[in-house]
Amino acid sequence: MALDLADPTALAASINPPTRAVIGGRSVESASGQTFATLNPATGRELAQIAECDAEDVNRAVIAARRAFESGPWGRLAPADRKRLILRFASLVEAHADELAIIETLEAGKPISDCSGLDVPDLVTTLRWHAEAADKLYDQLSPSGPGRVGMVVREPIGVVGAVLPWNYPLMMAGWKIGPILAAGNTCIVKPAEQTSMSTIRIAELAIEAGIPDGVFNVVPGFGETAGAAIGLHSDVDCVAFTGSTEVGRHFLRYSADSNLKEVLLECGGKSPVIVMADADDLDAAAIGICEGIFWNGGQNCSANSRLIVQQSVADELLERIAERSHDWVVGDPLVAETTVGAMIEEDHLDKVLGHIAAAHEAGSTCAVGGKRVRQESGGWFVEPTVFTNVDPSSRLARDEVFGPVLAVTAFDTPEEAIRLANDTDYGLAATIHTTDLRTAHLASRAIRAGTVAVNCYGEGDITTPFGGFKQSGFGGRDKSIAAHEQYTELKTIWMDLS
Ligand code: NAD
C-alpha cells in the first residue's frame, strides 16, 4: 500500500491491520483460534484482535524453520544470493515505510515523526548493512605449521528464536533479524504482545521479497505461553531476547531446563549522564540530556535517566534543562509536532506515576512536570519530569522507571561522579560532558557500561556494537559484525597431512 504521510490521521483510518501469525510462509490463525486485543496507547481503544499463539503454534513454527534451515533452499544459498534477497526485502520495507510508520505509531503510541524519521529508516539500514556483510566475511586457517590444515570456519547456528520488546518494535526486530538472516539462519520471532502488527507486516514483506517459506516466522502471543515455549523448545538453537532483566533471567533458566541453547540477552538500564564543571556548552548538554531521557517518552533501555552534575554548575544546568524540557511536546502521536507520545499501557502508566509518587515521598524535589496529562484522550501520557536532590539509594535513582523521569544528584569530585555512575546493577550506556580530554578518556574507561558517549547523547550507529555490562545484558551484542558473528557457530576442521 503506497501511503502519503501528509495526513497521518486519515491514513491511520485506512490501514488494514495485519493480525495473523506467519508460519511456514503462510498467514495463519492460531491453532487454538484464540485472539487477543491490541490497544492504541494514545486513546485506550482497541485497534485489532491478534492471533494468540501458544506452544502448539511455536512448535509448528520451529518445524517450519528447521525444515527451511536443513532441507529448504535457505541453508544452501550462496551468501551473495542471500544478500540479494535481504536487500530486496529492505527495499520493500522502504517502499512501505509510511504504512509501517503508521502501524508503529498506532500500536506503540510513538510519535509519527520518530516512526517515519528514525525507526523505519533504522530497520532499512540494519537490513542492508547485514545483508552486505553476508558475502564479505572470510573464514580462517590456523597457524599450525606444515603438514597440517586447521580451518576455522563459521557456520549458521540454526533455528533462532527472537523475543522482542514493545518500545522500538521495528528497530529491535531489525537488530535481530538482520544478522540472524544474513548469517544464514532461520527464525521464529515473538513480538511483544502490545506491538505485534508491525512485525507481522514485515514478515509478509519478507515473503513478498522471495525469502523462502519458513525462514522468517512470526508467532504473536504472550510471554508466559509463546515466549516460554520458544525458550524451552529443544529444537531452537539460540534465543535472542530484548526486554527486562527480570524476564531475561527466565531465558537462562529455560535454556538450562531444555537443550542448553545459546542465550543472548539485551536487558534494562539505569544509565548515568555526568556533567563536569568544565563542560563548555551547558545549553548543548541540556539539549542532549533532555533527548536522553524524554526521547520515546523515556521508554528507552539506554535512557540517560540519572543526571550526575558537579555541584558548582548544577543550578545553571538545571535552569537550562527546565527551559529545554518545553521543547518536548506531549501530544497525539499522529500529529507531526508531537515528540512525546503515550506510555505503552495503563499498567505501565501507573508504574511510572508510582515512581513519581515514591520520589516525592523520598523527599526529592520535583523541578519539572510530574503529572499525568491528556487524560481526556483516553490515552496514557506523562509529562517530561525532573526530580532534583535525589538520594542515590532511593528507588528513583536505582530502578528502571521506563518513563520520562530524570533523577538528578549533585557531586563534588570527579571520583565521586564515577562512583555514583557505577553504583547501579545495570551497565548499558553512559554519557560524560567535559572539555578535558584526560577526564573524557579516564571516565570512559572507568564507567562500566557497554556504550559511553562523550559530549553528546548517542548509541553509536549500525557499525558499532550495542549491549550491556552487568545486569543489562548477557552473551552478546546487537548491531555491527559482533551481532553477525553471534548467530554463527565456530567450527574447527582439522587435517593431518603427514
Ligand atoms: P518484557 O521483559 O516485559 O517483555 C519482553 C518480551 O518478553 C515480550 O515479548 C514478552 O512477551 C516476553 N516475555 C514476558 N514474560 C515472559 C516469560 N515469562 N517468558 C518468556 N517471554 C516472556 O520487556 P518489555 O516491557 O517489553 O520492554 C521493556 C524492557 O526492555 C526494559 O527493561 C528495557 O530496558 C528493555 N530493553 C532493552 C533493550 C536493549 O537493547 N538492552 C532495548 C529495548 C528494551
Side-chain angles (χ1 to χ4, degrees):
M1 190 189 330
L3 295 177
D4 172 5
L5 273 186
D7 185 356
T9 307
L11 290 173
S14 71
I15 292 284
N16 189 12
T19 59
R20 288 149 62 104
V22 178
I23 298 178
R26 291 192 313 122
S27 170
V28 294
E29 300 296 353
S30 62
S32 67
Q34 296 289 317
T35 60
F36 64 97
T38 192
L39 307 181
N40 181 341
T43 63
R45 285 199 287 274
E46 182 175 317
L47 286 167
Q49 287 284 327
I50 309 287
E52 183 182 335
C53 293
D54 59 22
E56 193 178 340
D57 305 280
V58 167
N59 192 43
R60 281 195 295 160
V62 173
I63 291 170
R66 176 61 61 192
R67 192 179 305 126
F69 181 70
E70 304 281 352
S71 48
W74 193 244
R76 287 196 287 269
L77 276 186
D81 293 329
R82 222 161 47 221
K83 174 180 84 173
R84 195 173 36 76
L85 288 176
I86 301 172
L87 288 177
R88 199 188 290 163
F89 171 31
S91 295
L92 269 180
V93 169
E94 197 168 44
H96 290 75
D98 290 351
E99 178 195 353
L100 288 167
I102 295 251
I103 293 174
E104 188 101 318
T105 289
L106 289 175
E107 64 182 349
K110 292 160 67 81
I112 187 70
S113 54
D114 277 357
C115 295
S116 69
L118 294 170
D119 296 67
V120 178
D122 186 277
L123 170 61
V124 174
T125 301
T126 303
L127 291 174
R128 287 194 173 134
W129 195 88
H130 286 286
E132 287 295 349
D135 65 350
K136 294 174 187 64
L137 297 172
Y138 291 74
D139 291 326
Q140 296 177 325
L141 278 184
S142 68
S144 301
R148 296 152 160 203
V149 179
M151 290 189 274
V152 183
V153 300
R154 287 195 174 270
E155 296 185 347
I157 200 163
V159 173
V160 183
V163 179
L164 304 178
W166 44 259
N167 59 341
Y168 296 92
L170 284 174
M171 213 189 270
M172 294 305 103
W175 289 10
K176 304 299 186 208
I177 59 171
I180 288 171
L181 298 183
N185 304 284
T186 58
C187 65
I188 297 118
V189 180
K190 194 203 85 62
E193 50 272 29
Q194 298 85 350
T195 53
S196 314
M197 296 195 295
S198 57
T199 309
I200 297 172
R201 187 68 187 111
I202 59 170
E204 292 172 355
L205 294 175
I207 292 164
E208 200 179 321
I211 304 247
D213 294 352
V215 171
F216 179 2
N217 306 280
V218 181
V219 286
F222 293 96
E224 295 75 8
T225 48
I230 292 174
L232 285 164
H233 203 293
S234 282
D235 208 21
V236 170
D237 300 297
C238 168
V239 166
F241 167 81
T242 295
S244 60
T245 297
E246 186 194 341
V247 175
R249 288 180 207 282
H250 285 304
F251 280 92
L252 291 170
R253 291 191 197 105
Y254 297 150
S255 172
D257 289 345
S258 56
N259 59 340
L260 291 187
K261 59 179 65 62
E262 294 282 335
V263 178
L264 308 166
L265 306 177
E266 297 296 344
C267 301
K270 190 72 191 176
S271 300
V273 46
I274 298 175
V275 179
M276 297 287 183
D278 64 21
D280 65 342
D281 189 344
L282 287 186
D283 201 42
I287 291 170
I289 289 162
C290 287
E291 185 187 357
I293 185 63
F294 301 140
W295 177 38
N296 213 39
Q299 300 170 116
N300 176 8
C301 53
S302 65
N304 280 183
S305 51
R306 291 184 293 142
L307 170 59
I308 298 168
V309 54
Q310 200 151 12
Q311 193 76 63
S312 56
V313 291
D315 288 348
E316 191 183 344
L317 180 66
L318 279 166
E319 224 169 83
R320 288 170 198 238
I321 290 174
E323 271 168 37
R324 289 297 178 176
S325 67
H326 298 302
D327 298 344
W328 290 83
V329 182
V330 186
D332 179 351
L334 284 169
V335 170
E337 289 70 29
T338 294
T339 47
V340 180
M343 299 292 98
I344 188 70
E345 56 189 5
E346 195 164 14
D347 280 358
H348 188 60
L349 169 80
D350 291 343
K351 182 185 144 200
V352 173
L353 294 175
H355 277 287
I356 290 174
H360 281 293
E361 275 162 33
S364 300
T365 310
C366 187
V368 175
K371 292 189 295 298
R372 178 180 183 182
V373 289
R374 294 180 49 77
Q375 209 153 342
E376 70 292 349
S377 65
W380 306 306
F381 297 86
V382 177
E383 59 187 342
T385 297
V386 178
F387 276 95
T388 58
N389 304 319
V390 176
D391 185 321
S393 65
S394 67
R395 262 181 71 191
L396 190 64
R398 306 206 73 80
D399 293 358
E400 184 181 43
V401 175
F402 230 53
V405 186
L406 181 67
V408 184
T409 304
F411 70 90
D412 289 312
T413 65
E415 294 71 29
E416 195 186 349
I418 301 297
R419 190 182 53 70
L420 285 167
N422 282 335
D423 183 18
T424 169
D425 292 337
Y426 297 107
L428 189 55
T431 302
I432 175 152
H433 290 271
T434 177
T435 46
D436 187 282
L437 195 59
R438 191 170 170 275
T439 305
H441 276 286
L442 291 176
S444 316
R445 293 295 183 149
I447 295 170
R448 305 260 308 140
T451 300
V452 180
V454 179
N455 291 330
C456 63
Y457 171 69
E459 298 176 349
D461 61 18
I462 183 62
T463 67
T464 58
F466 182 78
F469 287 23
K470 301 201 271 184
Q471 294 183 34
S472 286
F474 179 91
R477 291 288 183 268
D478 283 327
K479 304 197 300 178
S480 83
I481 272 310
H484 197 99
E485 288 183 345
Q486 75 193 353
Y487 297 114
T488 62
E489 287 278 24
L490 211 51
K491 178 184 274 183
T492 297
I493 301 174
W494 182 250
M495 296 180 199
D496 191 337
L497 309 177
S498 58

